[in-house]
Amino acid sequence: MSAAPPAWGVQYTLCLPTEDAARAAATELTDLGHRLVAVRVHEHFRFVPSHFWYGKPSMDPGLEGWWQVFSLAVHAGHDRMALGPFLRGERVRVARVARAHGGFHQGGSEGYAETLESVFTRDGLVREQTEALVPLPEPLPVEPARPPSAPAWRCSGVGEPEAVVRAVVSIAERMYGSAEHAPDAVGWLLDDEFAFGEPYESTSDFLGDLADAVAHQGTCTDNTVEAVPFLAAVACDDGVPVGTRVVVLGDLLRLAATGPSAAVALADRIAALGVPWQEPAADHLTRRAIGQELPCLLARWDHESDAARFVLIALVAVCGDQGGLVRPTLDELPAPRGTDRADVLALVTALLDDDRDRLDETLGRLSSWLPRVAEKGASPHVARRDLGPAVLPDLVMEDVGSAVTR
């Protein structure tokens, strides 16, 4: 008989507006069976003379005077994979506790319980329940069944790295001439050090570096805005393999959805602080710059692969305009009724048509078989007009991914 897997731990961090609210939330987490619970003023160590952070400026001045709750929940008897659906529900439940006391769930971490317990910071500890375990339901919840998959896309791959790099550099040379005149996010491609550097082992590695140079860790900046015309040129160039162009279209899709994604991720925080949401300027300008490139991208519609069309139409839907140019051709895409792709295409259609009722219906259907959509939309503060664009890039790129990378 095999040994039971090591206990699994999850640490949660909540932000609350007052000490009383934080202590009330801490009591609820204790009642849920969390083993360790601590309450501290936000950025507690800025006020501890012996600590490195003492006296330093706040890293998040918007939360000045707020309080934080840190808790450790321990689960035993099952490995992490089996716990997945249950832990997703726990994240939703903990976020609900934070909202109930005027705050928000700030994040957390996971790992082996023994390790997390040993490094748990006990400053402000209000409860330690030795050996406490969060009760698990029997049986554990399981992942919902997905609809049948749509037919695989017919699409060539991303190509050999040497040829792809050469084609992309050639585009940069045509557009900018030299690194001196190229946007910062593109100039490295024209630098002598890059030209004589080690060759890439895979095209995916190169495309990953390109995406990170344009938007480091997915964060839009002024450099991102300046680089959009270059990405669009790569996506339009017949000298670039079809699969690579699909990946670059996917990069544009993710960039266009950056603002709505942030609005969804920060919805509870925004509501707790009571300040209106204002999309970061770089996110807005990036999406607008992508919208300005759409006519050129759409001009290739009749000559594109179905996989590229699928990404392109999602890009149009997220940008919120130009929809009339592609709407009559949606039926050409292979998305049989009742398949997972049909639900994704229905989301695209609802966004293109700005149909709020259909958007609600489609997101509800997606949530029924895709738990991460349900989790993102669990907060009452998440607007459906943001949730649709926020979840669309992953849905689309997961669908086409196997076709372009093989």
Side-chain angles (χ1 to χ4, degrees):
M1 185 174 180
S2 60
W8 192 253
V10 182
Q11 180 174 307
Y12 299 94
T13 303
L14 280 58
C15 284
L16 289 305
T18 66
E19 181 179 1
D20 286 347
R23 293 189 178 280
T27 297
E28 288 202 42
L29 297 182
T30 299
D31 292 344
L32 292 177
H34 290 205
R35 182 173 295 184
L36 296 168
V37 185
V39 173
R40 301 192 288 269
V41 69
H42 184 256
E43 297 182 325
H44 158 77
F45 291 110
R46 290 175 54 227
F47 308 102
V48 178
S50 61
H51 199 273
F52 170 79
W53 287 107
Y54 178 68
K56 288 184 167 54
S58 173
M59 298 292 288
D60 193 346
L63 296 179
E64 192 79 39
W66 279 54
W67 286 72
Q68 290 177 296
V69 177
F70 302 88
S71 73
L72 175 64
V74 178
H75 313 277
H78 301 274
D79 63 24
R80 174 61 179 81
M81 186 171 295
L83 288 169
F86 171 75
L87 294 181
R88 192 180 298 114
E90 287 298 281
R91 289 194 296 270
V92 171
R93 180 158 66 162
V94 169
R96 191 180 301 126
V97 169
R99 284 196 301 272
H101 297 283
F104 59 95
H105 177 208
Q106 192 174 34
S109 59
E110 295 187 31
Y112 291 119
E114 182 178 6
T115 300
L116 291 182
E117 188 169 4
S118 68
V119 299
F120 188 91
T121 301
R122 284 167 163 75
D123 291 44
L125 191 70
V126 295
R127 189 63 61 89
E128 180 169 7
Q129 303 181 107
T130 306
E131 306 299 324
L133 298 172
V134 173
L136 297 175
E138 184 61 42
L140 284 173
V142 297
E143 300 287 3
R146 292 177 65 103
S149 296
W153 299 102
R154 295 181 179 179
C155 181
S156 59
V158 293
E160 294 300 318
E162 183 178 354
V164 172
V165 171
R166 189 164 55 245
V168 172
V169 169
S170 177
I171 295 169
E173 290 173 341
R174 290 200 306 269
M175 292 182 69
Y176 308 111
S178 68
E180 181 182 355
H181 299 104
D184 289 345
V186 180
W188 62 284
L189 294 168
L190 303 174
D191 189 273
D192 287 343
E193 290 186 10
F194 174 76
F196 295 102
E198 291 293 323
Y200 280 92
E201 294 185 0
S202 75
T203 301
S204 296
D205 287 342
F206 169 65
L207 294 177
D209 281 354
L210 179 61
D212 194 54
V214 171
H216 181 58
Q217 297 183 344
T219 301
C220 293
T221 64
D222 291 344
N223 291 337
T224 309
V225 180
E226 294 177 354
V228 164
F230 174 72
L231 291 182
V234 173
C236 285
D237 196 291
D238 287 326
V240 177
V242 174
T244 286
R245 293 195 292 106
V246 170
V247 171
V248 174
L249 282 173
D251 291 338
L252 289 169
L253 176 59
R254 294 187 191 282
L255 292 175
T258 301
S261 297
V264 170
L266 298 174
D268 280 351
R269 173 185 169 123
I270 294 164
L273 289 173
V275 295
W277 163 249
Q278 185 171 2
E279 184 179 33
D283 294 352
H284 172 76
L285 292 174
T286 296
R287 187 170 59 257
R288 191 171 73 176
I290 294 170
Q292 291 171 348
E293 300 296 332
L294 281 176
C296 293
L297 294 168
L298 291 170
R300 300 177 52 87
W301 180 270
D302 291 339
H303 308 288
E304 286 288 12
S305 67
D306 280 343
R309 290 178 180 179
F310 188 50
V311 183
L312 183 54
I313 165 182
L315 181 60
V316 174
V318 170
C319 286
D321 55 15
Q322 306 289 339
L325 297 178
V326 298
R327 181 66 178 86
T329 62
L330 297 189
D331 292 340
E332 298 176 11
L333 297 175
R337 184 185 297 273
T339 62
D340 50 3
R341 190 179 300 154
D343 282 352
V344 177
L345 197 58
L347 175 59
V348 170
T349 303
L351 292 170
L352 285 171
D353 293 344
D354 194 23
D355 187 332
R356 299 299 174 85
D357 291 338
R358 188 169 185 181
L359 180 60
D360 285 345
E361 175 188 342
T362 304
L363 287 169
R365 193 161 59 246
L366 285 166
S367 296
S368 71
W369 60 264
L370 202 59
R372 70 171 181 272
V373 175
E375 183 177 357
K376 284 180 179 292
S379 168
H381 302 307
V382 170
R384 291 299 183 261
R385 66 179 179 274
D386 293 323
L387 181 60
V391 302
L392 187 57
D394 282 349
L395 296 175
V396 169
M397 296 313 295
E398 286 171 5
D399 191 348
V400 302
S402 60
V404 301
T405 56
R406 64 168 178 259

